[in-house]
Amino acid sequence: MARERHDYDDIPGTFVFDAERSRQGYGINMFCMSLMKDENRKAFKANEAEYLKKFKLTPEQTDAILKRDYNRMLELGGNIYFTAKLGATDGHSFQHLAALMTGSTQQDYAAMMLGGGRSIEGNRSRSGKNAPSKHLRAGGAKKSASAKHTVKPKSKTRSAKRK
């Protein structure tokens, strides 16, 4: 059955783990959670394709797992925290998996995140319907009446009392 389309499906690179995706990805997620047990990790590594037959997976889900196509696993209903268990089985950190999913190196991904994250330019929508918020202006957020409020520095007297 085809997945129902939602407004949030229009955001590039985003697969919202909603109830529908949860149902769709039940097999992927149960497989990934099985990797919490050492004996299951060993059985999976011994014969991946055979081990996957224990779970109700579609051919697309099986293919995504075998290819370690994490974005496709998410699209097919995988929960990011569960799919990270597969990555950990392969010896990858969560940051390394995130880098793989964005198509960058781990160093580039770390630099992007330390620099404030991914730019919103070109990442608002697939269809072009999502325009920038009218509350934003070039160079930053629109100032509101509450933005005029300034925080006063703490009194030296209060600080001295705490010591």
Side-chain angles (χ1 to χ4, degrees):
M1 184 190 317
R3 182 175 151 71
E4 182 182 327
R5 299 294 297 169
H6 303 278
D7 287 344
Y8 50 74
D9 288 329
D10 193 39
I11 303 167
T14 301
F15 304 107
V16 175
F17 189 72
D18 56 11
E20 189 176 356
R21 204 164 250 127
S22 173
R23 285 187 294 278
Q24 177 189 15
Y26 183 80
I28 292 175
N29 296 319
M30 290 301 98
F31 152 70
C32 290
M33 292 304 291
S34 78
L35 298 176
M36 291 177 69
K37 293 184 179 178
D38 187 51
E39 64 267 18
N40 292 339
R41 288 190 299 275
K42 287 177 182 173
F44 175 64
K45 286 185 174 227
N47 188 335
E48 293 185 1
E50 189 62 32
Y51 183 80
L52 291 176
K53 290 178 182 178
K54 296 180 181 183
F55 303 91
K56 292 182 180 180
L57 299 168
T58 66
E60 294 83 8
Q61 291 170 329
T62 300
D63 187 57
I65 292 167
L66 292 174
K67 288 181 178 175
R68 303 304 196 270
D69 187 343
Y70 291 93
N71 282 325
R72 185 73 174 136
M73 283 186 259
L74 297 180
E75 184 180 7
L76 295 171
N79 178 295
I80 192 164
Y81 297 105
F82 296 166
T83 57
K85 303 236 180 276
L86 174 59
T89 299
D90 290 338
H92 299 304
S93 68
F94 196 78
Q95 186 179 19
H96 183 161
L97 292 173
L100 288 173
M101 293 166 72
T102 59
S104 61
T105 67
Q106 192 168 348
Q107 293 77 18
D108 289 343
Y109 177 79
M112 175 187 67
M113 295 308 290
L114 290 170
R118 179 175 70 165
S119 167
I120 61 170
E121 294 309 316
N123 292 310
R124 292 187 186 279
S125 75
R126 290 182 177 102
S127 66
K129 288 190 283 186
N130 285 337
S133 169
K134 63 184 176 188
H135 300 290
L136 295 178
R137 61 186 169 125
K142 181 179 175 182
K143 290 187 179 181
S144 65
S146 62
K148 293 177 186 174
H149 176 73
T150 57
V151 177
K152 295 179 184 177
K154 291 183 179 178
S155 163
K156 289 182 183 179
T157 315
R158 285 177 121 184
S159 299
K161 288 179 185 177
R162 282 190 218 136
K163 290 182 182 179

